[in-house]
């Protein structure tokens, strides 16, 4: 039995969950998200969402936990939202934004200008003496992770000095330099 899949999801106040023909729609104060599903049954009973499977086949067991996690992330997203923060570590690395357009100076010959999708809110924090921080806020966890990974891919942290774009709180594996 899937340990994740068998846990019921409690629906918080202000969130509505509707299930019809292979699609779950979740509405809350931060927006509306939908997810299609197959091979499992999703039921809404007395303030809880229950995901069940018909047999113990391997692909059904994996989908059981997957869809339960996706629906849970949708419910948390429309009620509380998700946040990811990226830190730019390096001399001269800067970040600024005008609306949904993010402008990154990462030591290349030109700045990187990135249009952020409308579902993700971007905010840049630049304080004197500290590394610039790019803060991303969204109700869709999957989309938020994709945008954050795209930004991080422009300059991944290197293992010697730690320069690059890293998640706030991320532990980097550091290497020793050449010993003379």
């Amino acid at each position: 039995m899937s340990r994740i899949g068998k846990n019921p999801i409690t629906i918080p106040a202000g969130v509505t969950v509707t299930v019809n023909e292979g699609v779950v729609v979740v509405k809350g104060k931060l927006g509306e998200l939908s997810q299609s599903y197959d091979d499992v049954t999703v039921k809404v009973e007395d303030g809880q969402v229950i995901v069940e499977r018909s047999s113990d086949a391997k692909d059904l067991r994996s989908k059981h936990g997957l869809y339960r996690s996706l629906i849970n992330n949708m419910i948390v997203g429309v009620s509380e939202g998700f946040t990811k923060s990226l830190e730019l570590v390096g001399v001269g690395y800067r970040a600024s934004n005008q609306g949904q357009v993010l402008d990154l100076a990462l030591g290349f010959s030109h700045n990187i200008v990135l249009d952020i999708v409308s579902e993700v809110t971007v905010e840049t924090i630049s304080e004197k003496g500290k590394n610039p921080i790019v803060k991303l806020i969204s109700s869709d966890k999957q989309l938020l992770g994709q945008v954050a990974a795209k930004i991080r891919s422009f300059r991944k942290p290197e293992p010697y000095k730690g320069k690059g774009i890293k998640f706030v709180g991320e532990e980097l594996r550091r290497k020793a330099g050449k010993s003379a």
Side-chain angles (χ1 to χ4, degrees), residues 21-90:
E21 295 167 20
V23 177
V24 177
V25 179
V26 180
K27 292 180 187 172
K29 65 180 182 185
L30 297 178
E32 177 181 331
L33 295 172
S34 64
Q35 174 68 45
S36 62
Y37 66 91
D38 58 348
D39 297 336
V40 294
T41 57
V42 179
K43 294 187 283 188
V44 180
E45 295 175 350
D46 49 280
Q48 290 185 332
V49 179
I50 299 164
V51 181
E52 295 174 339
R53 64 175 187 259
S54 58
S55 72
D56 274 348
K58 186 172 178 151
D59 62 327
L60 290 180
R61 288 197 316 259
S62 62
K63 287 181 181 179
H64 189 203
L66 168 75
Y67 288 124
R68 191 260 178 213
S69 294
L70 290 176
I71 294 168
N72 186 48
N73 287 341
M74 287 170 26
I75 290 173
V76 171
V78 297
S79 59
E80 301 166 21
F82 294 102
T83 303
K84 277 201 186 283
S85 298
L86 296 139
E87 183 178 8
L88 281 65
V89 180

Side-chain angles (χ1 to χ4, degrees), residues 7 22 38 48 62 65 68 76 78 96 129 144 156-157 161 163 170:
N7 293 336
D38 58 348
Q48 290 185 332
S62 62
R68 191 260 178 213
V76 171
V78 297
S96 63
L144 181 70
K156 285 192 176 140
K161 291 184 178 179
K163 290 171 50 173
E170 178 183 9

Side-chain angles (χ1 to χ4, degrees), residues 3 14 28 35 51 69 86 92 95 115 119 121 127 135 141 171:
R3 288 183 291 190
Q35 174 68 45
V51 181
S69 294
L86 296 139
D115 288 324
E119 292 88 5
T121 307
E127 295 178 15
K135 192 173 181 182
K141 188 174 186 178
E171 292 291 324

